Amino acid sequence: MTETCPYQAKAEPTPTPELPLPMRRNGFDPTPELLALRDQERISRTTTPFGETAWLITRYEDVKTALSEPTLFSNAGPVPGFDQASDAQRAVATGNLLTYDPPDHTRLRRMLTGQFTVRRMRDLTPRVEQIVESHLQAMERRGAPTDLVADFALPVPSLVICELLGVPWDERDEFLHRSNKQMDLRLPEQERLTLLAELHGYLAGLVARARRDPGDDLLGLLIREHSTDLTTEELTGIALLLLVAGHETTANMLALGTLALLRHPDQLALVRDDPAAVNPAVEELMRWLSVVHTGVQRTAATDFEFAGVRMRAGDAVVLAFPSANRDHALVDDPDRLDITRGAPGHLGFGHGVHHCLGAPLARLEMRVAFPALLRRFPTLALAKPDDEIAFRSYNAVYGLESLPVTW
């Protein structure tokens, strides 16, 4: 693989950007400034990580409505951070469901939906349980202390998605290394573009191999069933989306969720000891943690008025999931973690036509991993002071740098 980047950056690398308002957190919580904006102004102007000005939508009902109206709030605009005419822009957008509107979105999603059905998740459950068990056994053999991010939260969903995509075993470490780093907004633009080029090139090669010899993995199944309906570029984009969405979010949920439960020992005990408590716990953790800050930046598709604000065609629009999921319009006492309520209607997996395709897989992994971890290590505890835990503030998906634990 070439060491030079075929994509051209828009500008020279810039210093680490200031965190945009919807990415700012106080530990688990959105900052008071974001919550005050939601309660007082509803919609305002903000600056994105790439220096663009955008409308910021903060309330639950408004965010839900925006997610439900692709004819007004389009996902098909240019992907921020890349020159609109560049190879990088095309690589990120082609085949990526999150950058399509209906009917193109509908065409691609219909081909993928069958891979994430309830029946398919039942078939995958034994393998997910094996993967979780093998990592717990390895942690136990190595002994405490250990980093739960590196030894459990990250490798479990990473291995699941690699198997789903058919990534050969001996290529997985390097493959995932590029993926993890590419999400870090602190990296200079040129470095992120290089990582994207390498990752996209690898996935294009994976698709080419699957076309020559389709296996039983997702790419192989798509090629056998829809070979003439999907271009190689679309298949590569689908693989890129599933890779990022399929392991980054779940990995960060496993780490953050474990820390949240350690800080709420009574609720941890419920997840550990009561099988009926696990499903609602996963939903409440998705709401309360909101690991996806804003999701895909949207574009106003036409001139229209929304929530008292006049938007113009082409305006950038950002949806603040942390504030929306902590809105009183969704649940009572929204800043309190309560795993018994289940948080029906939360936006942790989005809503509408772009509701997360892989949500059933993410739920499956969390439903298996959380209780298995807590049962294996019933005395699980932090191995360093709580106030020294470092959060991944500049990552596109919120999480932890590491989580040292003992038992």
Side-chain angles (χ1 to χ4, degrees):
M1 179 171 294
T2 180
E3 294 182 359
T4 59
C5 177
Y7 304 149
Q8 297 299 313
K10 293 191 301 182
E12 292 298 317
T14 55
T16 300
E18 180 183 2
L19 272 175
L21 184 57
M23 291 180 68
R24 297 176 199 166
R25 311 271 185 130
N26 288 337
F28 293 127
D29 302 326
T31 59
E33 293 84 358
L34 179 62
L35 299 181
L37 182 66
R38 178 198 65 198
D39 297 337
Q40 297 167 14
E41 296 187 40
R42 190 171 180 179
I43 296 178
S44 66
R45 300 295 262 170
T46 192
T47 301
T48 73
F50 306 102
E52 300 175 84
T53 299
W55 293 108
L56 177 63
I57 301 179
T58 55
R59 293 186 182 179
Y60 173 75
E61 292 295 346
D62 293 340
V63 171
K64 187 177 179 180
T65 299
L67 291 168
S68 305
E69 298 288 349
T71 57
L72 297 179
F73 298 92
S74 172
N75 280 42
V79 180
F82 305 105
D83 187 299
Q84 293 185 31
S86 69
D87 289 339
Q89 178 75 210
R90 288 188 291 274
V92 172
T94 303
N96 184 341
L97 288 171
L98 295 179
T99 64
Y100 283 56
D101 291 332
D104 293 328
H105 172 271
T106 308
R107 176 182 70 88
L108 287 178
R109 183 164 179 130
R110 187 180 295 121
M111 298 181 203
L112 287 164
T113 300
Q115 302 303 318
F116 296 95
T117 61
V118 172
R119 179 178 178 179
R120 177 68 170 140
M121 294 306 105
R122 281 200 301 266
D123 292 342
L124 283 174
T125 298
R127 181 57 184 143
V128 172
E129 290 173 342
Q130 289 173 359
I131 291 170
V132 167
E133 178 65 17
S134 68
H135 283 83
L136 291 176
Q137 288 177 352
M139 285 173 55
E140 194 168 39
R141 283 195 302 269
R142 284 191 297 268
T146 191
D147 178 7
L148 196 75
V149 171
D151 294 335
F152 185 73
L154 183 59
V156 165
S158 298
L159 185 55
V160 171
I161 201 64
C162 282
E163 292 196 1
L164 198 66
L165 292 176
V167 177
W169 182 267
D170 59 355
E171 298 176 7
R172 290 176 181 179
D173 287 347
E174 186 63 24
F175 170 68
L176 293 168
H177 172 71
R178 291 194 189 102
S179 171
N180 295 334
K181 287 193 68 178
Q182 210 272 322
M183 299 287 286
D184 191 343
L185 299 180
R186 294 171 297 185
L187 296 178
E189 184 178 27
Q190 186 62 55
E191 185 174 347
R192 287 190 294 109
L193 287 168
T194 299
L195 289 165
L196 173 63
E198 293 175 345
L199 188 56
H200 192 268
Y202 175 84
L203 290 169
L206 196 67
V207 169
R209 280 182 274 177
R211 280 202 183 275
R212 290 192 298 269
D213 183 21
D216 294 329
D217 52 79
L218 187 144
L219 287 179
L221 292 172
L222 286 175
I223 288 167
R224 285 200 298 273
E225 295 175 8
H226 304 287
S227 179
T228 59
D229 302 320
L230 288 168
T231 67
T232 294
E233 291 74 18
E234 286 174 332
L235 279 166
T236 303
I238 288 169
L240 182 62
L241 170 64
L242 292 176
L243 166 66
V244 175
H247 88 275
E248 272 287 333
T249 50
T250 308
N252 286 300
M253 275 298 303
L254 290 176
L256 281 172
T258 299
L259 179 59
L261 292 172
L262 288 171
R263 290 181 178 178
H264 297 81
D266 55 331
Q267 301 192 56
L268 181 151
L270 280 176
V271 175
R272 182 190 64 218
D273 301 331
D274 182 3
V278 177
N279 288 0
V282 166
E283 301 307 318
E284 172 70 348
L285 287 167
M286 285 294 303
R287 177 198 73 84
W288 198 68
L289 295 170
S290 293
V291 295
V292 176
H293 301 290
T294 61
V296 173
Q297 181 174 298
R298 287 154 171 84
T299 304
T302 185
D303 294 353
F304 64 99
E305 186 169 311
F306 182 78
V309 169
R310 187 68 180 171
M311 296 187 179
R312 303 292 181 184
D315 284 356
V317 181
V318 171
L319 310 179
F321 291 110
S323 65
N325 274 330
R326 295 288 189 96
D327 195 330
H328 289 272
L330 173 59
V331 294
D332 294 329
D333 198 6
D335 293 322
R336 179 174 59 88
L337 178 68
D338 178 3
I339 64 165
T340 65
R341 63 178 155 200
H346 72 77
L347 303 175
F349 288 116
H351 180 74
V353 297
H354 289 287
H355 182 269
C356 178
L357 178 71
L361 179 59
R363 286 185 167 108
L364 167 61
E365 292 173 295
M366 288 186 279
R367 289 167 179 171
V368 171
F370 280 127
L373 169 69
L374 300 175
R375 287 195 298 267
R376 176 62 66 97
F377 304 113
T379 59
L380 191 73
L382 293 179
K384 65 188 299 185
D386 192 294
D387 59 4
E388 293 182 13
I389 301 298
F391 290 82
R392 299 174 67 192
S393 299
Y394 278 90
N395 200 272
V397 180
Y398 195 53
L400 299 174
E401 296 286 355
S402 65
L403 185 60
V405 293
T406 188
W407 53 84

